[in-house]
Amino acid sequence: MKSSAPLILQVAVPAPLPRHFDYLPPEHADPATIAPGIRVRVPFGKRDAVGVLLATSAHSDIPAAKLRRASALLDETPLIPADLLALARWAAEYYHHPIGEVVSALLPPTMRAGKSGVAGPTGAWRLTAAGSAIDTQLLKRAPKQAALLRLLAQHAGDLDAAALDAALAHWPAPMRALLRRGWAEKVRYAPPPTPAALPVAAGLSLNAAQTAAVQKIQAALGSFQTFLLDGVTGSGKTEVYLGAMAESVRRGGQALLLVPEIGLTPQLLQRVRRRFPAAVVFHSALPAGERLAAWHAARSGRTPVVIGTRSAVFLPLKHPGLIIVDEEHDASFKQQDGFRYSARDLAVVRAARHHLPVVLGSATPSLESLHNCAQLRYAHLSLPERAGAAQHPALHLLDIRNRPMENGLSDLLLDAMRRHLQAEGQVLLFLNRRGFAPTVMCHVCGATLQCGRCDARLTLHANRRLQCHHCGAQRPLPERCEECGAGALRQYGYGTERLERALVRLFPDIGIARVDRDSIRRKGKLEALLEGMQHGEYPILVGTQMLAKGHDFPRVTLVGIVDADQGLFGVDFRASERMAQLIMQVAGRAGRAERRGEVLIQTHHPDHPLLTHLVREGYASFAQALLTERRAAGLPPYAAMALLRAEAVTRAAPMAFLDAARRKLAPACGRQVQLLGPAPAPMERRAGRYRAHLLLIAAQRALLQQALATALPALYELKLVRRVRWSVDVDPAETL
Ligand code: ADP
Ligand code: ZN
C-alpha cells in the first residue's frame, strides 16, 4: 500500500446497472481538471465508454489491484453544471433508473460520443459606427440586409452565430454584404450577454385575470413556488407565460418553456419568437448540430428563452429564472421507454432546487395537479373567461342510436355542418383514428386481419396497404381471406382517410383538409395546412388529436366529435380522465373569435354518467368527481404507484421473471405496499414480444420508494434477468 491514498474517480457509465464505476485517473492527469461534471473516457468490459465524473473519493470497494485507469479526461471544465448533476442523481434515485443512463440523457448525442465539449464562441458580429448611422428605410431593395441591420441595432452587445441563427434564417449572405460595405465588423470573442441585454418585443395588453396571474408569478421570481395556471382554452394562458417570461428575462433570468410536441405547435413557436427573437428551440428531432448549438446557447446564458420538449427539462441554464410547462396534462411529458421520467414533475423538482417559480398551464389540468392545489402545495391561478370577445362553446350530446348514418356521420351532425358552412363558419371533425378502416374482416368466415407480431388488428390505409399502428409493420391488402380463402374481405369502421373521402363526396365544392400523422409526414406540411386554414381555404377540417393541440383556428364555429364512445370503456385507470381532456381540448377549438362555437358529440351512450357530467357541468366538476372515485379506489393521486414491466420473445419468461421479482419485493413491501400481479399486459404481445406487469401501490409515496430502493438491487442479480427486458416505471402514465 502506498502512503497517500490514490484519488478514485466515481464515473457514471451508460450501462444498465444501478451504480457508478470506480477508476483511477489517467496517467499524468492534471488534478485541477478533475471536477464533477467532466466527461471521462474509460475502458468498460471489452470496449471504451464515455462516462461523466460524478465525484471523487479516497476510497473504493474495489481492491486497488483491480482498479482500472481511465484513459482520458475529455473536458477541461465541467460540461454538466453541479446543479444539473445533482438533479440527475435525484432522478436516478426517484425513478430507480441506472445513473449512467440518466446522466447520458443530459448530453447531446455528439457529446455522448465523446466529441468536442465546450467550444468557445467561433465569432460574433456587431455594427460599426457607419452601420449604426444607416437608415434602414433606404434599404428597401435589400430587405435581408435591412433586417439584419435592425437586429444588430436592437441588440446591445455582439451577436454570435447561435443567436443569429435563432433570430434570422439565412443571415450569412446579408452579413457578408454588411461586412463588405463596412457596416458591420466581426469580433473574435463575444462575452455572453446577460439575458436582460437581449431584445424582447412588447406583448398584448393583458386583461384583469391575466394581469393578476402574471403579477403573482412575477412576485414569486427568485423563490420556489409552483403555480397551476388553470385557464379555459382561449383564455390567454400563452400571453401569461410570455408576460411572466419577459419579466424573468428583464431581471436576468432565463426562461424555459416546455411544450408537448414542437412540430404540432408552430403557432406557439411563432408567438414566442416574435416576443423573444433570440429564443432557441430544443427537441430530440433536431439535427445533431442544431441541438448542440441550442444546448450551448442555454448553457452559456446566450439565449434568454428556450422552448423545448420533454428532454429540455435537462438543459443546463446559466441563469435559470422561470420554468413553464404548457399543457401540463399531456401524456407526452412522460418518457415511455428506457428512463421513464416525467418532465413535468422534474420541472417542479428542478424549480425547487434552483429556487424558481414554475408554472403548469392547462385548460384541462391533470388530477395530480388539481390534487396538489387542493393540498395547497400548488398555488391555483385561474383564467375563467376567454380572452377578447370570444365566448365558451356550448357542448351537446347527439344521441345517434337508431339515427340514419352516412359514413359515420349522423343526419343531425350533417345538418349542423350544412348550417354552419352556409353561415360561412368552419367545421372541425375530430376522429381519433388515422387510416382508412380500423378492421378488415372476411364476410364468409369472420376472420379479421391481425398483425403477425402484435395482439392487434391491422388498419387498412387508403393506399390499400395494411398497417399495424403498434409496431409499424406494413403489408399489402391480400386478395382473399387468409383463413378460408374466400374473396370476401370487407372493411369495417372509420378512420380519418375514409371520413375525408366520404366528405369529398358529400360536400363536393368545399375545401377539406385532413390533419393526422400520415397527412403531415412531410416537413412543413402542417404549417402549410394551418396557413390554409387561417385563410379559409378549408371550410372543413378532419383530424386526429393533432387538431386538439393548442391551435388557434379563429374561423371554426362547429366542432363535431365523431366517436365519443371510443374513449368510454378504456382499460387504463386514467382512460376517463384522458377522454375528458381530449374532448374538452378539441371542443376548445370552437368559437375562438366573435362567433360563439357549438360542439356536437356523437354517442350511442347519451346517458353515460361520464359524458353527461362532463357536458352538463364542465371539466372542473367532472375532475372533482373523478378525484372522489380515485380516492375511494385508492388510486393516484391518492396513492403512489410503480409498475415493474418485463418483456421477452417467449410468453413464459416475463411472467417467471416477475414472479421471482415479486418474491424479492414482498419482504420489503410488507403490508403497506400492495403487490398486484404479475399479469400479462392488456395487449400482451407487441412487436413480437410478450409483455407482463407487476404493479406496486402504496398510500404513502415514501413507503413505496423505500421498498423499491431496498429490493430492486437484488433483481439485477436474478438469473432470469438475462432472459427478459425489464424496467421500473415510477408514476406510470399508463398501465397498458
Ligand atoms: P390559451 O393559451 O389559453 O389557449 P391564447 O394565449 O392562445 O390562449 O389566447 C387565445 C387568443 O386570445 C389568441 O388569439 C390571443 O392572441 C388572444 N388573446 C390573449 N390574450 C389577449 C388579450 N389580453 N387581449 C386580446 N386578445 C388576447
Ligand atoms: Zn404490430
Side-chain angles (χ1 to χ4, degrees), residues 204-207 210 232 234-239 271 387 552 592:
L204 291 172
S205 68
L206 302 178
N207 64 31
Q210 288 173 316
V232 296
S235 59
K237 294 184 291 298
T238 310
E239 285 307 313
R271 282 167 76 178
D552 204 6
R592 296 188 46 116

Side-chain angles (χ1 to χ4, degrees), residues 589-611:
R589 302 313 118 203
R592 296 188 46 116
E594 299 77 37
R595 271 187 281 175
R596 180 142 196 230
E598 188 178 2
V599 179
L600 299 177
I601 304 172
Q602 295 200 126
T603 177
H604 286 95
H605 304 273
D607 303 318
H608 196 289
L610 290 177
L611 279 180

Side-chain angles (χ1 to χ4, degrees), residues 309-332:
T309 49
R310 189 169 62 217
S311 59
V313 75
F314 289 120
L315 276 182
L317 295 170
K318 176 110 186 211
H319 311 287
L322 174 66
I323 307 182
I324 291 172
V325 183
D326 186 28
E327 310 290 3
E328 64 90 29
H329 64 277
D330 198 291
S332 74

Side-chain angles (χ1 to χ4, degrees), residues 341-385:
Y341 65 96
S342 157
R344 175 196 62 202
D345 297 347
L346 283 180
V348 175
V349 174
R350 187 167 184 192
R353 303 184 73 99
H354 288 332
H355 310 288
L356 318 173
V358 52
V359 181
L360 312 180
S362 177
T364 53
S366 63
L367 297 188
E368 276 74 13
S369 294
L370 290 171
H371 179 61
N372 279 319
C373 281
Q375 302 282 303
L376 304 179
R377 277 192 291 267
Y378 295 0
H380 193 242
L381 303 175
S382 151
L383 302 180
E385 302 298 334

Side-chain angles (χ1 to χ4, degrees), residues 451-456 458 468-473 686-688:
C451 175
R453 309 169 66 219
C454 305
D455 294 330
L458 291 165
C468 174
H469 287 181
H470 301 280
C471 73
R686 189 163 75 191

Side-chain angles (χ1 to χ4, degrees), residues 368-422:
E368 276 74 13
S369 294
L370 290 171
H371 179 61
N372 279 319
C373 281
Q375 302 282 303
L376 304 179
R377 277 192 291 267
Y378 295 0
H380 193 242
L381 303 175
S382 151
L383 302 180
E385 302 298 334
R386 285 196 154 177
Q391 283 181 305
H392 288 302
L395 272 68
H396 299 287
L397 292 176
L398 288 186
D399 180 359
I400 57 169
R401 285 175 301 184
N402 230 352
R403 299 295 312 192
M405 300 292 283
E406 171 87 46
N407 287 291
L409 303 173
S410 63
D411 56 338
L412 301 169
L413 183 53
L414 284 169
D415 284 348
M417 288 176 68
R418 293 198 182 95
R419 190 158 35 80
H420 280 262
L421 290 170
Q422 240 151 38

